[in-house]
Amino acid sequence: MFTTIKEYHQQLLAGNTSCEAAVNHYLLKIDSKKNLNAFTRIFGDEALKRAATLDGARNSGAKIGRLHGVVVAIKDVICYQDHTVTAASKILEGFVSVYNATAIQKLLDEEAIIIGNCNCDEFAMGSTNENSVYGNVLNALDETKVPGGSSGGSAVAVQAGMCMISLGSDTGGSVRQPADFCGIIGLKPTYGRISRYGLIAYASSFDQIGIFGTSLEDVALALEIISGPDDYDSTAIDQPFNRGEISFSDTTLPTPLTEKKYRIAYFEDALQHPSLDKEIGTGIFSTINKLKTEGHVVEAVDFDLLEYIVPAYYVLTTAEASSNLNRFDGVRFGHRTKQPVTDLTEFYKRNRSEGFGKEVKRRILLGTFVLSAGYFDAYFTKAQQVRRMLVDRTNSIFNDFDAIILPTAPTTAFTIGEKTDDPIAMYLADIYTVFANLTGLPAISIPLYKHSNGLPFGLQLITNKMDEVTLLQLSAMLLQQYKNN
Ligand code: GLN
């Protein structure tokens, strides 16, 4: 309907359209693409009402908010006051949030319209959106394929034009990987850039809210608005995102971009990895070569920690998940067994056994195991040491380079059911994304390529902590010059 938020605002101010027309447009789209199963709940009437209020205010001359009338969809793990939030789990069936996540409050303060909750993997655990109590989400480009996960619904909502931008969460790639599979932009900011208050926790030292969009400009604007320190999340960092006079939303302006020469690193081991689809490797090498031709410095750096990344991620995140998910006991809220039980332990057991799906149970068990006495040092402590080594290694890389280039995923979108019975194969496919979460670095997947199998794939960029400005500038340059669809 519109290519960017800026253009939408111009049309609104010129009187060519209205927020109500925009909401109607997206509601029709959502309805016509119901079979994709991207939404768990749609707030149609409410969105229309809000649109009418915004139209009234604008028409009477009020200054418009920076997200005035922007139609946003949110992953079903982000709390929106007085709205159901379930993390796509039976254990939270019917749970209504009593407060707004900070990111949601900031969207609303700038006059965004939240159109619905998006489907996802249960508690954000998965890579295909097949672990949801609401069922699979289909990839709109090929309905036999998964959209990726865990924020599959949020990705498809943007991919299929059912909203302007959407929010997901990224603990190990859940924004970047579905963006890659769906051919859109997916950004995971620096750990701490966006408050996690009101984001249902999976692994707290990894979780970040992320943004999906089709325009980098829109993604940058949303980031600028929802980031910042927060009294309710002590890990949300108070560091302005301006560099000199550049703000996030200015970074994607085209003019000065082509003149800057970047220093970019890549890992030979990652691009030669046996699990990487040959064509994806070739695509990325061709971008590397083009960058070199244009005078950027692009160099291979040694990186011998690749094989440790996925194991370290799954040890640490399952440990954190086993602790975070303790609170879902069916006593204060959530699913409660209907079976007659006489003792309290049996009551908890039944609530949790009935309420959690298979993948979540697997992770709680694994996490409890790696934290148990006798195994703690062998697994948890070891994985933390790997995490420290990764941080040290990346710090030294960023002494010499502005960015790291990686694939986002080793293959294009999987066929539905392809990896369901093989969790290890599923986990190993996270090889390129979990790195940025282990190190807390900002990362983005940009849709640069099309595979001969007809599916899109992206390029992943990672920059130094808090350096989203470079991340966005470099992305803008690549999207302008190298997008070949
Ligand atoms: N695929 C990863 C996992 O299953 C990523 C999850 C996420 O980022 N929430 O853990």
Side-chain angles (χ1 to χ4, degrees), residues 121-123 125-128 130-131 202 314-315 317-323 325 352-353 355-371 419-428 430:
D121 282 302
E122 185 178 1
F123 284 97
M125 297 174 183
S127 308
T128 57
E130 291 168 301
N131 306 329
Y202 156 21
Y314 277 96
V315 168
T317 54
T318 55
E320 291 190 27
S322 73
S323 156
L325 271 58
R352 287 167 67 83
S353 304
F356 289 129
K358 201 168 158 190
E359 181 61 25
V360 173
K361 284 180 189 157
R362 183 182 289 133
R363 293 193 192 200
I364 292 174
L365 290 171
L366 185 60
T368 308
F369 172 74
V370 300
L371 286 176
K419 292 194 196 288
T420 329
D421 298 327
D422 190 350
I424 304 279
M426 188 86 96
Y427 297 169
L428 286 172
D430 293 336

Side-chain angles (χ1 to χ4, degrees), residues 302 389-401 464:
D302 282 339
M389 286 172 82
L390 286 168
V391 170
D392 290 346
R393 185 77 191 94
T394 41
N395 282 342
S396 79
I397 292 173
F398 286 117
N399 284 334
D400 297 324
F401 295 93
N464 207 352

Side-chain angles (χ1 to χ4, degrees), residues 75 121 123-128 131 149-151 169-178 202 206-208 313-314 317 359 363 426-427 429-430 433-434 437:
K75 184 176 181 178
D121 282 302
F123 284 97
M125 297 174 183
S127 308
T128 57
N131 306 329
S150 63
S151 317
S169 65
D170 190 315
T171 303
S174 282
V175 168
R176 288 160 288 150
Q177 184 256 23
Y202 156 21
F206 293 73
D207 298 340
Q208 256 303 278
Y313 168 82
Y314 277 96
T317 54
E359 181 61 25
R363 293 193 192 200
M426 188 86 96
Y427 297 169
D430 293 336
T433 46
V434 296
N437 305 81

Side-chain angles (χ1 to χ4, degrees), residues 193-229:
R193 178 62 88 184
I194 299 173
S195 167
R196 288 177 295 110
Y197 180 68
L199 168 67
I200 294 177
Y202 156 21
S204 309
S205 76
F206 293 73
D207 298 340
Q208 256 303 278
I209 288 175
I211 305 158
F212 291 98
T214 50
S215 135
L216 194 64
E217 205 180 301
D218 292 354
V219 171
L221 177 66
L223 174 65
E224 188 170 302
I225 287 165
I226 64 178
S227 59

Side-chain angles (χ1 to χ4, degrees), residues 86-100:
T86 71
S89 180
K90 185 174 170 188
I91 206 145
L92 275 173
E93 200 170 40
F95 177 73
V96 175
S97 177
V98 290
Y99 63 91
N100 277 329

